[in-house]
Amino acid sequence: MKLVIDTNVIVSGFLWKGIPSRILDLIKANSWQLCLTPKLLEETERVLHYERLLIPLFLSGKSTNEIIGSLEQTGVVLPDCRGLKIIKEDPTDNIILGAGLSHNVDYIISGDKHLLKLKSFQDVLIVSPRQFLNVIKR
């Protein structure tokens, strides 16, 4: 199974326990393919530097470099799909759609309302972390 995980799910998965961290664990345990692009990695690094995340990042015992390195070791990085302008309200969401398109993934896992509202994009299902867990339990 090939997956793109939105930045919000990646960050939550590394900094807190819960469904996003379970998904990251399942990816490693099941040898699913975590699909990344340079822009998705840049976006994740940028978000990890938000002031409101500095304390959770410190408490996690991980550095930004360790998180990005872990993603690069776990995932496959392909070039970005350029020029997507599907979501105008939050252009950074197009990075996630582009990653899904670049990798021809099965699922995009996101907590973002703009992406979830789409439900799918060019035959790629867009689901919340909880919806994804429900899908794989079936």
Side-chain angles (χ1 to χ4, degrees):
M1 182 175 341
K2 293 167 70 173
L3 309 167
V4 166
I5 300 179
D6 196 349
T7 306
N8 57 56
V9 179
I10 291 171
V11 170
S12 293
F14 276 99
L15 300 187
W16 294 281
K17 294 294 178 201
I19 293 174
S21 66
R22 281 188 55 207
I23 290 172
L24 291 175
D25 291 341
L26 286 167
I27 288 170
K28 291 176 187 172
N30 290 293
S31 300
W32 296 334
Q33 191 174 54
L34 176 60
C35 300
L36 305 163
T37 65
K39 284 207 180 296
L40 177 55
L41 291 169
E42 287 172 21
E43 174 72 0
T44 301
E45 186 171 3
R46 184 181 69 79
V47 169
L48 284 167
H49 284 96
Y50 284 175
E51 189 172 332
R52 69 178 183 265
L53 295 177
L54 293 179
I55 291 174
L57 182 62
F58 174 77
L59 293 174
S60 77
K62 298 174 185 83
S63 70
T64 299
N65 288 340
E66 288 172 322
I67 291 172
I68 298 301
S70 177
L71 288 170
E72 290 173 329
Q73 284 182 332
T74 304
V76 174
V77 181
L78 289 179
D80 291 291
C81 180
R82 303 205 183 273
L84 280 183
K85 295 181 181 167
I86 306 300
I87 299 176
K88 294 179 182 19
E89 301 89 356
D90 186 356
T92 59
D93 290 340
N94 293 307
I95 293 169
I96 306 304
L97 293 176
L101 199 56
S102 292
H103 287 276
N104 192 29
V105 298
D106 301 297
Y107 291 95
I108 292 174
I109 304 170
S110 178
D112 184 277
K113 64 182 178 183
H114 300 115
L115 290 169
L116 291 170
K117 188 170 71 173
L118 290 176
K119 297 186 181 169
S120 69
F121 176 70
Q122 299 205 1
D123 298 326
V124 176
L125 294 173
I126 303 171
V127 297
S128 72
R130 184 173 306 282
Q131 288 170 322
F132 180 73
L133 286 184
N134 289 337
V135 166
I136 62 169
K137 284 181 186 176
R138 293 182 196 153

